[in-house]
Amino acid sequence: ALDAVGPASAAAERDGYDGVFVPETIHDPFIVLTLAAQATRRVELGTKVAIAFARSPMALAYTANDLQQLSEGRLVLGLGTQVRAHILRRFSMPWTRPAARMREYVLALRAIWVAWNEGTPLEFRGEFFTHTLMNPLFCPPPNPFGPPKVFLAGVGELMTQVAGEGCD
């Protein structure tokens, strides 16, 4: 239950654990990590995994940026693709060439965070994602903790290569 997240996370920290990592199953992992961030000060906080293809890179960039700031730099953004049936039939999102799409997804996230943190124009154009509009009204100030670490669930040779190329 969500009301147990804060106390359980605080107990894990007191017991010497180094991190609190949550899956995306019956709760939004970012809500769970928000509760954990408010109850802890030291442990890393991460998703294991958040389903990237259920969200646009821009939507996830905002969420991760906010949680990185709230947690004072402790977010580990663990991403995964999920499988085709879930993306198509549960999330009603496109499914094509998952390794290539994930590579570009991570690049798009990083380009968005650079634009926010360095004040550079947002000019990301790829095969799957295009992000070229960042009005000052929608541009968060630089995050004092920088962007979060990005981890990737790498099942298979291609996805493992993507993880090695562009993730932490």
Side-chain angles (χ1 to χ4, degrees):
L2 290 174
D3 60 350
V5 170
S9 299
E13 186 171 73
R14 273 192 314 275
D15 290 346
Y17 285 88
D18 292 324
V20 173
F21 286 74
V22 300
E24 182 163 9
T25 53
I26 62 169
H27 295 293
D28 183 308
F30 301 107
I31 299 293
V32 176
L33 290 178
T34 297
L35 297 169
Q38 292 175 326
T40 61
R41 294 290 166 255
R42 179 189 54 78
V43 293
E44 279 191 318
L45 303 168
T47 54
K48 65 167 197 178
V49 298
I51 309 307
F53 297 165
R55 302 168 174 85
S56 77
M58 183 62 71
L60 185 57
Y62 280 114
T63 300
N65 186 67
D66 287 346
L67 192 50
Q68 176 74 339
Q69 186 166 355
L70 178 68
S71 70
E72 299 180 335
R74 296 181 289 141
L75 178 62
V76 176
L77 181 60
L79 299 176
T81 62
Q82 191 43 279
V83 296
R84 184 175 196 262
H86 282 265
I87 298 304
L88 291 174
R89 295 178 22 223
R90 183 160 65 112
F91 293 109
S92 190
M93 298 293 281
W95 177 270
T96 56
R97 301 177 37 230
R101 183 179 284 272
M102 183 60 83
R103 176 182 287 113
E104 191 173 298
Y105 195 105
V106 172
L107 290 172
L109 280 174
R110 293 196 188 284
I112 293 164
W113 292 328
V114 164
W116 294 347
N117 287 307
E118 298 179 13
T120 57
L122 179 58
E123 194 61 37
F124 183 85
R125 295 176 191 276
E127 178 182 350
F128 306 101
F129 304 103
T130 300
H131 299 282
T132 58
L133 179 63
M134 186 45 57
N135 181 299
L137 179 65
F138 303 106
C139 185
N143 191 320
F145 305 100
K149 290 185 241 179
V150 178
F151 286 13
L152 181 59
V155 177
E157 185 177 326
L158 289 177
M159 199 62 74
T160 301
Q161 184 176 350
V162 171
E165 288 174 357
C167 298
D168 298 296

